[in-house]
Amino acid sequence: MKIANLVFHPDLSASRVNRIWKEQLESSGKLSSSRDLYAEYPDFQIDVAREQQLLREHDRIIFQFPLYWYSSPPLLKKWLDDVLTYGFAYGSSGKALHGKDLQLLLSVGGDPKYYTGFDIYATLHDLLRPFQLTANLCGMNYMIPQWMYRADQASEETIRASGQEWIDLIDDPARGNGRAYLESEPDSTVI
Ligand SMILES: Cc1cc2nc3c(=O)[nH]c(=O)nc-3n(C[C@H](O)[C@H](O)[C@H](O)COP(=O)(O)O)c2cc1C
């Protein structure tokens, strides 16, 4: 399985979580490619043909990013707008992404209590719904997203432990079908 990691962080040199995760994922040997998109496109002028070719060459696409204003950093949105064109990603002849997997991997500054879904607090699954719908429209398999809360307070040890958790899961073919994967998990025992 060829896995691409696309990292969307405005300044990885100032990042703790995403920089460490990127390095860990790269040294795992499980990725076919790993890229810092903000470094490649500082002027936001995305090379669409190149991005589409790279997508064709991979089976599983990871978007790694910090949660910014309950959403992604803007270059990821621009990348989606530019790269997922009609006739490539959707439309009657737009089948280039069919059957590929989409994995979101994100760092979240807030505490889990702000993502319970109660009252004004949306869950992260709610916030990430546009990515799920996009994957669906493009015929991609939306994998169970992965995230780490309290990103700014996390110790390096905690960041590395979560990074290792992703590495253990990242090439699991079963996770390409998120719903089937969840249903295959044994029910947790509540004591
Ligand atoms: C512009 C900006 C917006 C942010 N918005 C949110 C947010 O909506 N929710 C949240 O929980 N954290 C938010 N944060 C915190 C980031 O998610 C957190 O700093 C980041 O995940 C840490 O990862 P890093 O060490 O790779 O930069 C925001 C941070 C910045 C700089």
Side-chain angles (χ1 to χ4, degrees):
M1 175 184 297
K2 292 191 75 179
I3 306 177
N5 191 24
L6 278 64
V7 182
F8 293 89
H9 190 292
D11 182 7
L12 271 182
S13 68
S15 151
R16 293 174 65 242
V17 181
N18 286 280
R19 183 177 47 78
I20 292 175
W21 282 353
K22 180 171 181 286
E23 289 166 4
Q24 280 182 289
L25 284 164
E26 286 168 1
S27 50
S28 74
K30 292 188 173 186
L31 302 179
S32 299
S33 67
S34 176
R35 301 163 56 211
D36 173 356
L37 278 290
Y38 269 88
E40 288 186 32
Y41 299 121
D43 57 1
F44 276 47
Q45 296 307 303
I46 293 167
D47 182 341
V48 173
R50 175 168 174 259
E51 294 302 319
Q52 292 182 342
Q53 186 51 36
L54 286 167
L55 287 175
R56 283 194 182 90
E57 291 168 9
H58 292 85
D59 309 300
R60 182 167 282 183
I61 314 298
I62 306 171
F63 291 153
Q64 188 196 312
F65 59 93
L67 188 73
Y68 278 3
W69 289 112
Y70 306 101
S71 182
S72 68
L75 184 60
L76 175 49
K77 179 63 168 60
K78 174 85 164 41
W79 186 96
L80 295 170
D81 294 352
D82 288 4
V83 177
L84 304 186
T85 54
Y86 180 83
F88 171 78
Y90 69 101
S92 55
S93 62
K95 299 191 188 328
L97 303 178
H98 275 212
K100 296 183 189 290
D101 301 329
L102 179 65
Q103 170 76 68
L104 305 181
L105 176 53
L106 57 154
S107 58
V108 178
D111 187 273
K113 72 183 174 190
Y114 298 119
Y115 296 96
T116 54
F118 174 70
D119 197 18
I120 60 162
Y121 302 116
T123 68
L124 286 165
H125 289 298
D126 293 333
L127 298 176
L128 298 174
R129 210 60 84 190
F131 290 98
Q132 182 178 17
L133 296 172
T134 300
N136 188 52
L137 186 73
C138 298
M140 299 181 80
N141 310 309
Y142 182 68
M143 297 173 66
I144 304 163
Q146 302 286 344
W147 53 71
M148 190 187 77
Y149 292 110
R150 299 190 198 94
D152 298 313
Q153 279 88 49
S155 66
E156 184 169 339
E157 191 186 357
T158 302
I159 297 169
R160 289 192 180 281
S162 64
Q164 188 55 51
E165 215 180 293
W166 318 145
I167 288 165
D168 292 343
L169 301 170
I170 217 85
D171 58 346
D172 182 347
R175 288 176 68 87
N177 185 339
R179 205 173 306 159
Y181 181 86
L182 275 179
E183 284 166 6
S184 72
E185 287 280 282
D187 288 348
S188 48
T189 310
V190 180
I191 300 171

